[in-house]
Amino acid sequence: HDEIERLINLYGHIVDDRDWDRLDELFAPDGSFIIDSMSVARRGFDEVVALFRTSNHPIAHYATNIVIDVVEGADEAQARVKVWAPRLDGTVVVGGYRDQLVRTDTGWRFRERNVVISAPRWTVPTA
C-alpha cells in the first residue's frame, strides 16, 4: 500500500514539474491514460508520453481519499483517488482517478490511469 500511495503522489510531482523524462517511473511500458469524457485514450508508453508533452495541464494536482485494493499473489492492484487540480485562470478541475496498477521489476506502475472529471472548470463561489 505504501509503495502504491507513493506512486500516486509521485504522479503529481512529476506532472506538475513537467518532468516528462521521468514518466517511466509512473507508467508501465503497456500503460494507458484515458479521459473518457474528453474522448482521450492513449495506449502504450510512447503515446502516453506524447500526450503529456502536448497537453494543457493544471498547475498542480492534489490527490486525496486514496483507496487501494491489492490482488494478493497477482502483482496487481486497483486504486481510487479523488483529485482537484487548480488552473492559472482561477478555476479548478475536480474529479478522480480509477487506476489499474501492476508490480514490475522496477516497482509499481500504472497499467491504466482513467481520469473521471466531475467538474472541469469549477470556481469557488464568492459571497
Side-chain angles (χ1 to χ4, degrees):
H1 282 88
D2 290 342
E3 292 173 18
I4 293 170
E5 189 168 336
R6 182 184 186 284
L7 174 69
I8 290 167
N9 289 317
L10 183 61
Y11 173 92
H13 288 279
I14 288 175
V15 173
D16 296 347
D17 292 343
R18 278 59 173 161
D19 198 354
W20 312 132
D21 292 335
R22 294 183 61 199
L23 287 174
D24 63 337
E25 294 177 41
L26 303 176
F27 289 93
D30 63 344
S32 298
F33 188 83
I34 299 166
I35 311 172
D36 284 334
S37 64
M38 297 175 66
S39 299
V40 172
R42 299 297 184 271
R43 302 189 190 290
F45 185 74
D46 292 339
E47 283 190 23
V48 171
V49 171
L51 173 69
F52 275 69
R53 288 184 184 279
T54 59
S55 294
N56 179 19
H57 297 275
I59 59 173
H61 292 75
Y62 297 100
T64 186
N65 299 58
I66 299 169
V67 177
I68 300 166
D69 295 307
V70 177
V71 178
E72 294 301 322
D75 290 332
E76 295 179 0
Q78 294 85 38
R80 291 175 295 152
V81 181
K82 296 289 185 179
V83 66
W84 64 280
R87 295 187 167 279
L88 284 173
D89 67 2
T91 63
V92 178
V93 179
V94 179
Y97 298 110
R98 299 290 181 262
D99 296 325
Q100 300 294 321
L101 303 117
V102 61
R103 188 190 331 247
T104 70
D105 291 340
T106 55
W108 285 95
R109 298 292 185 266
F110 296 110
R111 175 177 285 150
E112 180 177 295
R113 180 145 250 215
N114 193 330
V115 181
V116 179
I117 298 175
S118 304
R121 295 271 183 198
W122 181 71
T123 303
V124 178
T126 57

